[in-house]
C-alpha cells in the first residue's frame, strides 16, 4: 500500500462518514438516556432507524460519482459505494448497543470492540500481504462491521416494527435531532483538517497526514473507547446525583489518563523511530505532524468525558451549541494553519481545540458541582509520571550510539520510558493507583451500587 491508497480511502471516508453520523437520528443516545423507551415504542423507533440507514446508504451510492468529481479522483466512486454498506451495519447495531450500555454489560461491550479491532486489523494485514492495495483498506472496515453486527444481534435480538403514529415518537425524535446536530458539527470539525489538507495541499500530503493521525490517536482512542462504552450506562444512571456523577467522572478520567497519557508522550518522543521502522524513509514527512498531533491526543483523552456529562444528563441543547462552536472555530484554525503546511494544520488541533472546548468544560463542571482544580488533580499522577517517562526516554536517546540500529534504539528508549513511568507511579502514587485498580475491579463486577433504573 502507498500513501496515495490511504489518501483515496480518506477522501471516501470523509463523504461516507457524514452519512454514518445521521443514519440513526441520534436515537442511539436517546435509547440509553431515556430509560422509559421500551416495547412498541422501541420497536417503531428501531424500524425508523433501519429505514433511515438503508435509505441513506442507497442515496450515497448515487452520490458516489459526484464525490469523486469533487476530489478529482475517479477511483473514489466505487470505494464510496462499498463503504455505504456501513450505514446498514450501524443501523442494525443501534438497539443492541444501547441495551448493553443501559444494562451496563461492560464485558460484552469490550469483547465487541475487541472483535471489531481484531477482524479489521487482521483483514488489513491479509489484504496487504495478498496485494489488494487500496481495497485492503476498504474490506477491512466492512469485515469488522459485519463481524460485530452479527455478534450484537446474537447477544440481543430485538423486535422491529414499521414506524407509524409519529405523535408517540415525537419526544425522542425531538431529543434525537439535537444529538444529531451535535454529531454533524463534530463530524465537520473532526474531518475538516483532512478536507483542508486534501484540497489545498494534495493527496500525497493527505496520505501522510492520515498516517500521522492514525499513529497518534489509534491506540489511545481504542483504549479510551472501552471506557467510553461504559460511561453511558453509568452517567445516565446517576444523572440526578451530582456527587456520584462527579465521583465517576474523576475516577474514570484518572483511569484513562494512566493509560493514554504515557502512550501519547511516548509516541511523540519516539516518532522518528516509529516512522523509520513501520513506514520507511519515504514517510519522513509524517514525523513532525505526528509529534504535534500527539499533544492534541493527550489533551483530548484527558477531557474525553466532558461531553458525555452533558449528553447523559440530558443537556442536549447545551451539548449541541458547544459542538457548533467547535464546528466553526476548528475549521477556521485549520485554514489558517494550512499556510504552514502539515505541521501548521496539526498544530491547530493543539491550540484551537482547548479554546473552543472551554464552554463545555464549564457547563460540565457546574453540572457536577466540581471545578478545574479537581480535574487537574485527577490528571496529576499520570502527568507527573509522564514527565519522568520523558526524562528517561530523552536520557536514553542521549546515551545511545548514533550507529545503533533503529530497532534496537527504539526498543531501548521505549523500555527506559516504561520503566521510568511505572517507577514514578509505584514510588509516588502507589495509593492512588491501587484505589483506581479497586474501582476498576468493582466496576467490572458491577458492585459499585449503580444498577440500571427500572
Amino acid at each position: 500500500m502507498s500513501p496515495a491508497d490511504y489518501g483515496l480511502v480518506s477522501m471516501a471516508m470523509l463523504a461516507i462518514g457524514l452519512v454514518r453520523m445521521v443514519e440513526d437520528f441520534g436515537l442511539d443516545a436517546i435509547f440509553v438516556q431515556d430509560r422509559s423507551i421500551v416495547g412498541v415504542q422501541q420497536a417503531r423507533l428501531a424500524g425508523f432507524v433501519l429505514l433511515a440507514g438503508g435509505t441513506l446508504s442507497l442515496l450515497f451510492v448515487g452520490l458516489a460519482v459526484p464525490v469523486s468529481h469533487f476530489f478529482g479522483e475517479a477511483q473514489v466512486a466505487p470505494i464510496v459505494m462499498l463503504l455505504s454498506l456501513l450505514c446498514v451495519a450501524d443501523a442494525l447495531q443501534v438497539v443492541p448497543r444501547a441495551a448493553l450500555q443501559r444494562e451496563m454489560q461492560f464485558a460484552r461491550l469490550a469483547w465487541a470492540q475487541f472483535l471489531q479491532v481484531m477482524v479489521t486489523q487482521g483483514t488489513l494485514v491479509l489484504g496487504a500481504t495478498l496485494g489488494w492495495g487500496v481495497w485492503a483498506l476498504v474490506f477491512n472496515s466492512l469485515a469488522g462491521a459485519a463481524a460485530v453486527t452479527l455478534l450484537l444481534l446474537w447477544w440481543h435480538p430485538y423486535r422491529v416494527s414499521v414506524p407509524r403514529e409519529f405523535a408517540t415518537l415525537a419526544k425522542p425524535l425531538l431529543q434525537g435531532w439535537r444529538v444529531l446536530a451535535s454529531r454533524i458539527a463534530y463530524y465537520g470539525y473532526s474531518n475538516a483538517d483532512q478536507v483542508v489538507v486534501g484540497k489545498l495541499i494534495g493527496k500525497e500530503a493527505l496520505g501522510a497526514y492520515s498516517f500521522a493521525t492514525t499513529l497518534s490517536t489509534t491506540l489511545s482512542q481504542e483504549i479510551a473507547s472501552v471506557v467510553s462504552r461504559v460511561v453511558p450506562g453509568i452517567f445516565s444512571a446517576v444523572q440526578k446525583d451530582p456527587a456520584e456523577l462527579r465521583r465517576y467522572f474523576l475516577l474514570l478520567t484518572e483511569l484513562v489518563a494512566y493509560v493514554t497519557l504515557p502512550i501519547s508522550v511516548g509516541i511523540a518522543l519516539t516518532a522518528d523511530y516509529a516512522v523509520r521502522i513501520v513506514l520507511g524513509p519515504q514517510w519522513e514527512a509524517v514525523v513532525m505532524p505526528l509529534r504535534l498531533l500527539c499533544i492534541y491526543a493527550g489533551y483530548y483523552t484527558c477531557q474525553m468525558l466532558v461531553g458525555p456529562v452533558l449528553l447523559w444528563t440530558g443537556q442536549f441543547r447545551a451539548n449541541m451549541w458547544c459542538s457548533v462552536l467547535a464546528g466553526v472555530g476548528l475549521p477556521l484554525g485549520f485554514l489558517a494553519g494550512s499556510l504552514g503546511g502539515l505541521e501548521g494544520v496539526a498544530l491547530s488541533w493543539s491550540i484551537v481545540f482547548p479554546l473552543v472546548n472551554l464552554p463545555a468544560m464549564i457547563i460540565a463542571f457546574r453540572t457536577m458541582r466540581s471545578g478545574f482544580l479537581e480535574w487537574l488533580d485527577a490528571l496529576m499522577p499520570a502527568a507527573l509520571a509522564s514527565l519522568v517517562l520523558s526524562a528517561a526516554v530523552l536520557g536514553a536517546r542521549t546515551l545511545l550510539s548514533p550507529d545503533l540500529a533503529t530497532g534496537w534504539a527504539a526498543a531501548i528508549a521505549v523500555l527506559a520510558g516504561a520503566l521510568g513511568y511505572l517507577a514514578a507511579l509505584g514510588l509516588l502514587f502507589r495509593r492512588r493507583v491501587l484505589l483506581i485498580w479497586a474501582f476498576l475491579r468493582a466496576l467490572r463486577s458491577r458492585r459499585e451500587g449503580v444498577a440500571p433504573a427500572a
Side-chain angles (χ1 to χ4, degrees), residues 319-387:
N319 187 61
M320 177 185 68
W321 286 114
C322 288
S323 298
V324 169
L325 175 63
V328 173
L330 280 165
L332 293 176
F334 299 144
L335 285 171
S338 67
L339 299 175
L342 294 182
E343 291 83 357
V345 175
L347 184 60
S348 298
W349 275 112
S350 301
I351 295 176
V352 180
F353 183 80
L355 295 177
V356 298
N357 191 52
L358 273 176
M361 297 188 76
I362 292 171
I363 297 171
F365 290 149
R366 285 179 178 174
T367 300
M368 298 180 292
R369 299 174 188 171
S370 182
F372 281 93
L373 292 180
E374 288 182 284
W375 175 65
L376 292 175
D377 182 68
L379 301 177
M380 181 182 63
L384 292 180
S386 293
L387 287 177

Side-chain angles (χ1 to χ4, degrees), residues 46-64:
F48 179 86
V49 170
L50 288 174
L51 180 62
T55 301
L56 290 170
S57 180
L58 291 174
L59 176 64
F60 235 83
V61 169
L63 293 175

Side-chain angles (χ1 to χ4, degrees), residues 277-291:
I277 294 171
V278 178
L279 306 176
Q282 72 271 27
W283 290 88
E284 285 296 323
V286 172
V287 175
M288 186 52 67
L290 173 57
R291 285 178 167 153

